[in-house]
């Protein structure tokens, strides 16, 4: 680490749980962020400011919802979200290598991308993408930091199949289940809720990458922003889960 890096990351280096070693791990790490909207914005901002070496952003939509998508600026309306986000991240921390993929990733493409990253952070807004991301992470045993925010309700979980007996996203929300797709676009979402949930996702991803503390693996964090109550419930693996049942 050079002097500039030691200065920039000094407040992380001062933390004994991170230190020089943990910061060096962050600088060498690669994070895949699915979605550059309400959740992906704070995730990407914190990963970049914390010095995660390479960040790949995937989102095929244009910038519209500035109410909660804080990585974008008014001048970016109409541009691809990933291009707008890449410019903001470059202004915050030019050291970070940001790859902007303006595509809706699925299946094999997701597997290829997940294979070349250390952690996957899902900030997508629909069950089809969440399940596709989960399948790729289960198959490749990549830690997945999952988040959701709609109306005033937020959820965060970490699924880390590197630990035997861990649940996956599909153990919690079966693919064949009656999962109603309550999208922010239709249902409304309290702006800072996406910031809170996305920031928790960023914290979990940074802990996973730096090797600090204990993650939410095996637990689901539920947040009600209307009463500001937070609780966590334990997650059990479903032995009959068609996605992770045999792993
Ligand atoms: Zn499962």
């Amino acid at each position: 680490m050079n002097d500039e890096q030691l200065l920039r990351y000094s407040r992380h280096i001062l933390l004994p749980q991170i230190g020089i070693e943990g910061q060096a791990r962050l600088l060498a790490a690669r994070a895949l962020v699915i979605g550059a909207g309400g959740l992906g914005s704070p995730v990407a901002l914190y990963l970049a400011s914390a010095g995660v070496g390479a960040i790949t952003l995937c989102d095929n939509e244009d910038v519209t919802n500035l109410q909660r998508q804080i990585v974008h600026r008014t001048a970016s309306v109409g541009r691809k979200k990933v291009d707008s986000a890449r410019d903001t991240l470059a202004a915050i921390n030019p050291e970070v290598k940001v790859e902007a993929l303006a595509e809706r990733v699925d299946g094999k493409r997701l597997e290829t991308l997940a294979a070349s990253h250390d952690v996957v952070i899902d900030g997508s807004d629909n069950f089809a993408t969440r399940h596709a991301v989960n399948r790729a992470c289960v198959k490749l045993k990549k830690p997945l930091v999952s988040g959701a925010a709609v109306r005033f309700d937020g959820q965060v979980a970490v699924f880390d199949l590197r630990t035997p007996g861990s649940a996956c996203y599909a153990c919690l929300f079966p693919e064949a289940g009656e999962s109603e797709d309550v999208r922010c676009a239709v249902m409304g979402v309290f702006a800072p809720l996406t910031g809170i949930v996305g920031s928790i996702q960023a914290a979990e991803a940074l802990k996973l990458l730096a090797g600090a503390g204990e993650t939410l693996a095996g637990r689901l964090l539920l947040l009600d922003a209307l009463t500001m109550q937070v609780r966590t419930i334990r997650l059990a693996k479903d032995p009959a889960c068609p996605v992770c049942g045999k792993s």
Side-chain angles (χ1 to χ4, degrees):
M1 240 175 276
N2 59 39
D3 286 353
E4 207 178 299
Q5 290 173 317
L6 289 170
L7 189 64
R8 182 186 277 265
Y9 306 118
S10 61
R11 298 310 190 272
H12 265 169
I13 293 168
L14 277 172
L15 297 170
Q17 295 86 349
I18 296 180
I20 290 265
E21 260 185 48
Q23 187 60 49
R25 277 190 216 115
L26 295 180
L27 293 171
R30 296 177 54 80
L32 176 62
V33 182
I34 309 296
L39 300 175
S41 287
V43 167
L45 288 168
Y46 275 119
L47 296 189
S49 67
V52 170
I55 300 171
T56 302
L57 301 170
C58 299
D59 196 310
N60 68 341
E61 290 180 358
D62 297 339
V63 175
T64 50
N65 294 298
L66 295 168
Q67 167 249 21
R68 65 183 183 281
Q69 304 187 356
I70 57 172
V71 77
H72 309 297
R73 303 291 175 259
T74 302
S76 290
V77 170
R79 293 181 71 200
K80 286 290 175 199
K81 282 184 191 174
V82 286
D83 294 330
S84 156
R86 184 190 50 208
D87 291 353
T88 308
L89 301 186
I92 290 172
N93 191 349
E95 277 195 348
V96 175
K97 197 170 153 279
V98 179
E99 196 172 351
L101 304 177
E103 47 185 296
R104 185 171 173 146
V105 285
D106 203 348
K108 274 269 167 262
R109 176 72 170 137
L110 260 176
E111 286 179 21
T112 308
L113 284 169
S116 61
H117 292 78
D118 304 302
V119 67
V120 180
I121 302 112
D122 186 6
S124 67
D125 65 352
N126 64 85
F127 280 108
T129 303
R130 286 190 198 136
H131 280 298
V133 171
N134 178 59
R135 262 178 260 126
C137 289
V138 169
K139 187 166 178 189
L140 295 156
K141 287 198 162 52
K142 292 286 175 180
L144 166 62
V145 183
S146 177
V150 69
R151 295 180 288 238
F152 290 90
D153 299 318
Q155 295 179 353
V156 191
V158 172
F159 303 100
D160 193 345
L161 275 285
R162 294 174 301 179
T163 307
S166 298
C168 83
Y169 181 81
C171 292
L172 184 61
F173 299 104
E175 288 187 328
E178 280 286 304
S179 39
E180 49 162 346
D181 232 341
V182 281
R183 301 189 59 176
C184 305
V186 219
M187 304 306 299
V189 60
F190 187 46
L193 174 69
T194 56
I196 298 167
V197 170
S199 297
I200 296 174
Q201 288 183 273
E204 294 301 295
L206 290 172
K207 280 157 56 190
L208 280 162
L209 294 173
E214 190 188 327
T215 69
L216 274 172
R219 291 177 291 157
L220 172 68
L221 182 148
L222 299 161
L223 176 103
D224 176 356
L226 212 47
T227 55
M228 210 44 90
Q229 296 199 51
V230 179
R231 63 196 178 101
T232 54
I233 55 173
R234 295 223 72 92
L235 293 181
K237 183 185 178 80
D238 175 3
C241 173
V243 179
C244 75
K246 287 182 197 113
S247 64

